[in-house]
Structures are given as structure tokens and as C-alpha cells.
Amino acid sequence: EINLASGESVTIHIVTLIKASNVTITNPVGVTSDTHDPDESNNHDNSSIYVEPEADLEIIKSVSDKSPQIGDMITWTIIVKNNGADTAVNAVVTDNLPSGVVYDSDDSKGAYDSVTGIWNVGDLASGESASLRIYTKVVVTNKVIVNLASVTSDTYDPNEENNYCNDSTTVPPVSDLEVTAVPDVTSVTVGDEVEYAITVVN
């Protein structure tokens, strides 16, 4: 309560914290006094703000084999979840396959482009998830293969720390050993000495 002289004004600032998304918040205000007011039409007002939708996308990646051999087929699995309160509109995953593997196929029914690495997930409702399996062939040896993936959408995401993930697989070294034994003579008799030249090649 305050007293206001004629022509005087006062302003109060109220700081609030937004606790909901995808809503219109209207704040009505009114003023009265003990003094007669002949025009009460301007004693009330309101203002509205719109809170944008919010989606918390999380991406998880895993590989089917942590120690494959060259020539083996391995599967990269990607799961995208919407942990937010609203629909994630136009969710898109980027997964460019690393060197050391060659793309074979996937189960996205055309939504994943192996050339661009783009997987068009589409809209994900709150609590909804989508998955993708990418099948690749290992074409290297003695290498750690790291596969990175990320996800975005047109909806505001307040927590981008879980929008990135990776998994790795280690291809062990490979050796192809060959051994030969060659005698220094081709014909001997009892009591003769024979010398063998043994050669090992990798």
C-alpha cells in the first residue's frame, strides 16, 4: 500500500521464473484505492508472453563388436530419445562413418544417407525414441575406429550436453606368417649331414 499524490507514479519490478513450456502466460493486474475513482475502466490491465516449446534430445551410440578382425561386419546402433516436455520438430542426426569401415546397409528405409551422414529422424514426441542400425565392413588393421554422432532439431533444447556421443572399436594387428625349409642337398646317404635353411616371412 502506498499513497500517490496527483500526477505521481510508481513502478514495481517483479522477477519470475518460467516453469512451463509451449504455453501462453497471461498476467492480469488491477489497482484500487480508498479514494473515489470516477473512471475504473483503466484500473485493470494484463500482458501475455508465449513460452516456446522445449525438447531435450539425447543420443546414444553403440557398436556390436569391440575387437573385430579385418573383413568382419560390425553394426553401429544409434538411439535418439526426446526427454523434453514437447515435440522435437525435424530431428536430424549426423553420423559420418569413420575411415576404416565401409558402408554396407542400414535399416532406416531410406532416411539415412551414407554419403552425407544425415539421418532424417523427423518429429519426436515427448518420451518418444527412434533407432538406426548401420552395417559396415572393417577394412583396416591395427587401428582404433571412433564413430561420432550428433542430433539437433528445430525445437529449443535446453541441454545440449547429451546431443553428442561416440563409440569405438579396436581392430587388432594382423600377421600372415609363412615358413619354408630348404635342405642344402637333395640326395644323401646314412651318416651324411644335411643343413636346412628355414625362412619365416610375414
Side-chain angles (χ1 to χ4, degrees):
E1 295 181 2
I2 58 172
N3 295 324
L4 282 179
S6 176
E8 188 180 3
S9 66
V10 64
T11 301
I12 183 173
H13 296 275
I14 303 175
V15 179
T16 60
L17 179 65
I18 304 298
K19 302 291 284 186
S21 62
N22 197 23
V23 294
T24 298
I25 299 175
T26 302
N27 184 17
V29 294
V31 63
T32 61
S33 79
D34 295 336
T35 305
H36 172 65
D37 190 335
D39 180 15
E40 294 185 352
S41 64
N42 58 359
N43 287 28
H44 300 275
D45 195 13
N46 67 73
S47 60
S48 298
I49 59 171
Y50 175 64
V51 185
E52 297 287 342
E54 167 182 304
D56 177 17
L57 290 178
E58 176 186 7
I59 186 168
I60 302 169
K61 171 184 279 291
S62 61
V63 64
S64 62
D65 192 340
K66 285 290 189 178
S67 183
Q69 300 291 340
I70 184 171
D72 286 353
M73 297 296 297
I74 59 175
T75 303
W76 304 92
T77 300
I78 303 171
I79 299 175
V80 177
K81 298 179 180 179
N82 180 3
N83 300 321
D86 305 301
T87 297
V89 177
N90 189 30
V92 176
V93 169
T94 301
D95 182 6
N96 292 300
L97 294 175
S99 62
V101 295
V102 173
Y103 171 82
D104 180 77
S105 60
D106 65 80
D107 65 353
S108 72
K109 298 180 180 178
Y112 175 70
D113 187 331
S114 62
V115 177
T116 63
I118 298 297
W119 172 29
N120 290 302
V121 181
D123 296 348
L124 277 181
S126 175
E128 190 177 6
S129 64
S131 63
L132 168 67
R133 293 175 180 83
I134 306 173
Y135 308 101
T136 61
K137 183 178 182 180
V138 178
V139 294
V140 295
T141 61
N142 195 26
K143 182 177 181 180
V144 177
I145 300 173
V146 181
N147 192 350
L148 308 173
S150 62
V151 63
T152 61
S153 80
D154 294 338
T155 305
Y156 168 68
D157 192 331
N159 176 27
E160 295 187 349
E161 291 183 0
N162 56 1
N163 289 31
Y164 304 87
C165 70
N166 68 77
D167 201 2
S168 63
T169 185
T170 302
V171 187
V174 172
S175 62
D176 179 14
L177 295 178
E178 176 184 334
V179 61
T180 58
V182 180
D184 62 343
V185 292
T186 58
S187 179
V188 294
T189 60
V190 176
D192 290 348
E193 291 186 351
V194 179
E195 180 178 329
Y196 285 89
I198 300 175
T199 304
V200 178
V201 179
N202 182 0

